[in-house]
Structure formats: C-alpha cells, structure tokens
C-alpha cells in the first residue's frame, strides 16, 4: 500500500512537473514543440526502425560525456553552448555522432529561424537536467513496478482513480474492497458506474460523486472492474 501511494505521488509529480525556466521560457515545452518532429524525447527512449534522429536522451548523454573540459563545473555550460551552436550550425565535423549513425540519419538540418538562442538555452538546460542517469534509473524502476502490477491496478493508477480510491481505505470514494463486497455489485454494475458515474449509492461518501469516465475504452473499464472484484476473493482467502 505504501508503495502504491509512492507510485501515485511519483506519477502525479511526473505529470505536473514543469521544465526548469530560463527567462520564463519553459524548456520542456519548447523541446516538445521544436524538436520532437525528429527526436524521441521519452525516458527511457523509444526507438524506431525508421527514426529520423537519435533519441534526445542519447544526444544528451553523449554530448555530456564527450564534451572536453578540464574544469568539471564547466561541463554543463559547455554542453549547453554546444547545443545552442549545433542546432543552428550543424556539421559532420562538429557532430559527436559516429560516422555510421551520421550516414544513416544524415546531418541534422539547421533549425535557423525556427528557434531563438534564448529558447535553445532553455531547451538545453532542460535537456541536461532531465536526461540524467538518476532520472533514467528512477523511470526504469517505476516502469518495472508498473509492469509488475496487475493490469487493472496499473490502469486505475494511470487513470487517477487512486486519487479518490484506495484498496482498503475510504478516502473520497469507498475503498475498492468495500465496493467489491457491496451487496448486488457485479461486473456489469461496476462497468456501468465507471462509465456513467455514481452518486448517493454509498452513505459513506457523504454526497461526493463518482465522475463518469466516458473516455476509457470498454476493454480498460472491464479490466479495472475485474481487478476491483478480484479484491473480494483476496479478502476471503486471508
Ligand atoms: C528535421 C529533423 C530534426 C529536428 C527538427 C531536430 N533535429 Fe537534432 N538532429 C537531427 C538528426 C538527423 C541528428 C543526427 C545527425 C547529426 O548529429 O547531425 C540530430 C542531432 C542533434 C544533435 C547533435 C548530436 C551529437 O551527438 O552530436 C543535437 C545537439 C540536436 N540534434 C539537438 C536538437 C534540438 C535541441 C532540436 C530542437 C530545437 C533538434 N535537434 C531538432 C534531426 C533533427
Ligand atoms: C473525484 C473522485 C473519484 C475519482 C477520480 C474516481 N472515483 Fe470512483 N467513486 C467516487 C465516489 C465518491 C464514489 C461513491 C459514489 C456513490 O456514493 O454512489 C465512487 C464509486 C465508485 C465505484 C462503485 C460504483 C458502484 O456502482 O458501486 C466504482 C466501481 C468506482 N468508483 C471506480 C472508479 C474507477 C475505476 C475510477 C477511475 C477510472 C474512479 N472510480 C475514479 C469518487 C471517485
């Protein structure tokens, strides 16, 4: 249960965290707007057969490690300066890409006129603060934990159901285990309530209502409802 809370918090933070701001520019947003046409920016990255450019995590990792500097405190400022220059004046001689990759991708087309130096400063600062070993490890741990959960629980977490429901404890909505053991509740009833919402069914909710989740797919709603009902038998077994 602690783990779940932690995961919920981590997801919440991930969903809401803003990029670091330079001159009030949001590097994260700008990166999404200006660079994702070619670079994948997921962490860990997704790779495709016919990708147009190396994933941004790879770009950030390898610029950070190839930049030459005697003074370690200058590594990030130098890496930022490299990005600001490269995006406007790309060339084979400057690129840190190996020859084979350069041949596959081709040199990056200059983005001159499409992005300003201030915007690049914000983008690059975000890149080197976000694409780090630490964040990669954390993202991978979270992904492993999500993969280890029953699919219904994962969907409930990802769709923010767990901000109002816990398995064993009433918060805004009734505990999922109490919903599972509520007289008359069946798979059909739960599916109907998740899709259309529910109110005044549980005295314990004191007027709080269950919003309708119209956008969830039928398959996902069914998976979540089955998971909720499965909590009932887990209790019986104990
Ligand atoms: C039209 C496609 C395209 C867009 C848009 C694009 N890139 Fe690239 N980028 C590439 C390709 C292809 C490469 C790999 C070849 C190379 O190094 O030039 C690359 C490489 C790079 C490199 C050098 C990597 C190295 O190892 O030397 C940096 C830095 C970079 N991109 C940053 C950016 C940023 C920041 C943006 C958004 C402002 C961006 N790119 C937008 C295609 C693109
Ligand atoms: C904003 C808070 C909130 C969110 C978010 C929320 N619920 Fe609820 N849920 C409630 C409340 C309150 C009730 C009790 C309503 C009542 O008394 O009829 C409830 C009731 C339910 C019931 C019982 C319905 C029944 O017919 O017995 C199910 C099942 C349920 N929620 C599933 C979910 C799932 C799945 C999600 C995510 C897709 C979710 N809830 C998201 C507040 C919420």
């Amino acid at each position: 249960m602690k783990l779940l809370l932690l995961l919920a918090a981590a997801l919440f933070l991930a969903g809401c965290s803003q990029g670091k701001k330079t001159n009030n520019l949001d590097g994260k947003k700008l990166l999404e707007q200006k660079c994702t046409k070619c670079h994948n920016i997921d962490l860990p990255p997704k790779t495709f057969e016919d990708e147009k450019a190396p994933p941004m995590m790879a770009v950030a990792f390898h610029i950070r490690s190839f930049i030459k500097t005697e003074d370690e405190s200058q590594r990030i400022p130098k890496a930022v300066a490299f990005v600001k220059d490269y995006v406007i004046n790309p060339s084979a001689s400057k690129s840190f890409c190996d020859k084979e990759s350069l041949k596959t991708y081709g040199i990056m087309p200059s983005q001159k006129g499409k992005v300003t130096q201030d915007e690049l400063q914000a983008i690059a600062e975000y890149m080197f603060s976000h694409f780090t070993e630490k964040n990669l490890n954390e993202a991978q741990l979270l992904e492993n934990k999500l993969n280890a959960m029953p699919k219904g629980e994962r969907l409930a977490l990802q769709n923010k159901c767990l901000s109002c429901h816990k398995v064993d404890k009433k918060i805004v909505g009734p505990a999922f285990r109490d919903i599972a053991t509520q007289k008359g509740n069946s798979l059909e009833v739960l599916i109907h309530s998740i899709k259309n919402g529910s109110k005044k069914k549980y005295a314990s909710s004191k007027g709080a209502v269950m919003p309708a989740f119209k956008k969830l797919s039928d398959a996902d709603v069914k998976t979540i409802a089955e998971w909720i009902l499965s909590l009932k038998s887990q209790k019986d077994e104990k």
Side-chain angles (χ1 to χ4, degrees):
M1 208 48 225
K2 273 228 182 78
L3 177 70
L4 256 186
L5 279 173
L6 230 147
L7 280 174
L11 276 190
F12 178 76
L13 288 173
C16 299
S17 71
Q18 292 287 311
K20 215 179 170 186
K21 294 193 174 136
T22 306
N23 298 336
N24 275 328
L25 292 173
D26 186 336
K28 180 180 186 214
K29 256 209 194 105
L30 286 165
L31 176 76
E32 283 162 10
Q33 287 165 357
K34 313 250 176 188
C35 315
T36 49
K37 206 176 101 197
C38 304
H39 296 276
N40 175 268
I41 59 164
D42 291 318
L43 183 72
K46 294 190 177 65
T47 49
F48 307 94
E49 282 288 327
D50 56 346
E51 61 191 11
K52 291 190 191 136
M56 211 45 118
M57 187 194 86
V59 170
F61 275 30
H62 97 238
I63 292 176
R64 195 194 280 110
S65 55
F66 287 154
I67 281 286
K68 287 199 184 69
T69 177
E70 317 237 293
D71 177 1
E72 274 308 312
S73 72
Q74 287 308 303
R75 184 169 293 279
I76 299 299
K78 280 193 168 176
V80 168
F82 176 87
V83 173
K84 287 171 79 173
D85 173 57
Y86 194 84
V87 171
I88 305 302
N89 305 301
S91 75
S93 58
K94 280 184 211 162
S95 176
F96 288 124
C97 260
D98 58 279
K99 286 221 172 67
E100 272 309 304
S101 315
L102 269 186
K103 233 193 250 160
T104 336
Y105 294 126
I107 295 288
M108 167 164 157
S110 168
Q111 300 300 299
K112 196 173 173 181
K114 296 184 178 154
V115 58
T116 68
Q117 284 293 300
D118 281 351
E119 288 171 338
L120 277 175
Q121 175 82 28
I123 291 173
E125 282 176 7
Y126 171 73
M127 276 170 61
F128 294 114
S129 66
H130 175 67
F131 295 111
T132 60
E133 298 279 351
K134 183 167 167 276
N135 286 356
L136 175 64
N137 288 341
E138 277 168 16
Q140 271 165 344
L141 276 178
L142 186 64
E143 209 171 82
N144 293 346
K145 280 173 193 162
L146 286 174
N147 287 339
M149 281 180 184
K151 193 167 172 223
E153 183 175 9
R154 187 164 79 229
L155 287 168
L157 178 64
Q158 287 166 338
N159 288 292
K160 311 233 157 63
C161 311
L162 302 186
S163 57
C164 288
H165 293 282
K166 298 285 167 248
V167 169
D168 282 308
K169 191 168 159 251
K170 176 209 160 344
I171 41 171
V172 181
F176 275 147
R177 219 186 289 277
D178 293 338
I179 292 175
T181 51
Q182 170 84 2
K183 211 171 157 228
N185 268 358
S186 61
L187 187 61
E188 288 68 35
V189 170
L190 295 198
I191 288 175
H192 185 268
S193 295
I194 295 168
K195 284 188 174 174
N196 301 288
S198 165
K199 57 182 176 191
K200 295 191 179 151
K201 181 164 165 177
Y202 295 81
S204 68
S205 32
K206 298 196 178 96
V209 301
M210 159 75 189
F213 283 82
K214 302 243 182 241
K215 285 191 187 140
L216 278 173
S217 73
D218 287 353
D220 284 357
V221 171
K222 183 161 177 270
T223 306
I224 300 175
E226 283 169 346
W227 170 68
I228 295 171
L229 287 173
S230 77
L231 298 167
K232 179 172 152 183
S233 54
Q234 279 173 25
K235 189 179 194 175
D236 295 343
E237 281 159 19
K238 269 185 196 159

